[in-house]
Amino acid sequence: MSLFAIPRRDLIVLALFSLVVLAMPIWLQPLGAAYPALMQKFVISAVFAIGFNILFGLTGYLSFGHAAFLGVGSYTAVWSFKLLTMDALPAMVFAVIVSGLFALIIGYLCLRRSGIYFSILTLAFAQMCYNLAYSVLTPITNGETSLQLTLSDPRVIDSALAPRGAGLPSAGLFGHAFSGLEGFYFCAVVLIIAFFVAQKIFSSPFGMMLRAIKSNQTRMNYTGFNTRPYALTAFVISGMYAGLAGALFAITDPLAGTERMQWTASGEVVLMTILGGVGTLVGPVIGAWLIEYFENIFSAFNEQILHRVFSWVPEGAQDVVVTIVSKFVGEGWQLTLGLLFMLVVIFMPGGVMEGVRRIASLFNRPPRRDPGAMRVQPAE
């Protein structure tokens, strides 16, 4: 029971988080983002960011190569679909295990250094993995054309249970193929479970030890405490989260390409975590949702849409407004993201969650006491 026991405050946070995630088709509708494929990206990116935050947020180790584990998870899941079954659970289990083993090897080597040297090592390993997947390991990864399902795939478990269909199968659960919102809700449940596990890690003695490593690892080493096993465990758990996210990408779209292992994907999860709030539980999720929204909604804005948005502006000034705003949307959406990131880093170094705490503190301030009320009255 203690494994699933959770303090009341954490239980409230988990309940509110679950409600927000499961209600995404409702509250994303006014924002123009209530599409099953896009909502799947929202929740999968959140899983990726939560896992990265366990390493970066708790231990302070900044990895620039986490996209390697994302790619490994995707390739493992697709091979599970090709060789065994289209069921999502075995694909997720294999992806988490293989990514964890891969993270154990890379983490063991990279954690011999800290600081910027650790970051550069992880980036170097990720680029090696990307180039291997792109060229050397093409029999396994299919190179630049991506690893995809084919009609000739054995799928031994599915073939033993039921006759093959005419076309390519879809991923599903216990023989039921996902379609539309079903795929989103499956990923949403996985996100909620991943969030709960992160909650347990944050509040556990292990999490406290990781915070101590981040606070002053040198002092811990001087006291004779070996911090490497704890940092390595955090690295492996973080890699397993990334592998899980990669498997979910493959479940919603059964292919795996080298683009998921590029350094830009690693940089993106760093931005997600910093933008939302490093070391917080909800912050990386908010950061992931913001970046996915900018990438998929802002990038779709064109001048025609902007003219409709600013139809209330007088005709003479409308063209000027549209011309200026068009530089920050569409192909220029990254300019808006860059400006937002700069503002957050300069004015709210703790990310969006720091802004939330500042606003909350305005309402939680104790009332000022009247200095005159504390004045001692002279005795009569």
Side-chain angles (χ1 to χ4, degrees), residues 67-77 95 98-99 102 129 243 261:
F69 310 122
L70 186 74
V72 168
S74 290
Y75 283 120
T76 304
V98 174
S99 298
F102 196 62
C129 295
M261 306 181 78

Side-chain angles (χ1 to χ4, degrees), residues 339-355:
L339 291 173
L340 177 63
F341 186 74
M342 288 173 56
L343 292 173
V344 167
V345 170
I346 293 172
F347 298 104
M348 292 186 298
V352 174
M353 291 306 296
E354 181 178 337

Side-chain angles (χ1 to χ4, degrees), residues 346-377:
I346 293 172
F347 298 104
M348 292 186 298
V352 174
M353 291 306 296
E354 181 178 337
V356 173
R357 285 193 294 268
R358 288 182 184 180
I359 295 173
S361 65
L362 296 177
F363 296 96
N364 294 331
R365 282 183 180 176
R368 290 186 177 181
R369 294 182 178 180
D370 184 6
M374 300 297 293
R375 191 172 301 156
V376 178
Q377 297 294 331

Side-chain angles (χ1 to χ4, degrees), residues 72-81 83-85 87-102 157 240 243-244 247:
V72 168
S74 290
Y75 283 120
T76 304
V78 175
W79 272 113
S80 175
F81 293 149
L83 298 178
L84 301 176
T85 173
D87 196 277
L89 290 182
M92 291 166 55
V93 171
F94 286 130
V96 169
I97 293 174
V98 174
S99 298
L101 294 174
F102 196 62
I157 296 178
M240 293 168 74
L244 176 62

Side-chain angles (χ1 to χ4, degrees), residues 34-42 180 184 252:
Y35 304 105
L38 181 54
M39 291 189 295
Q40 288 168 4
K41 285 185 177 181
F42 273 56
F184 158 72
T252 56

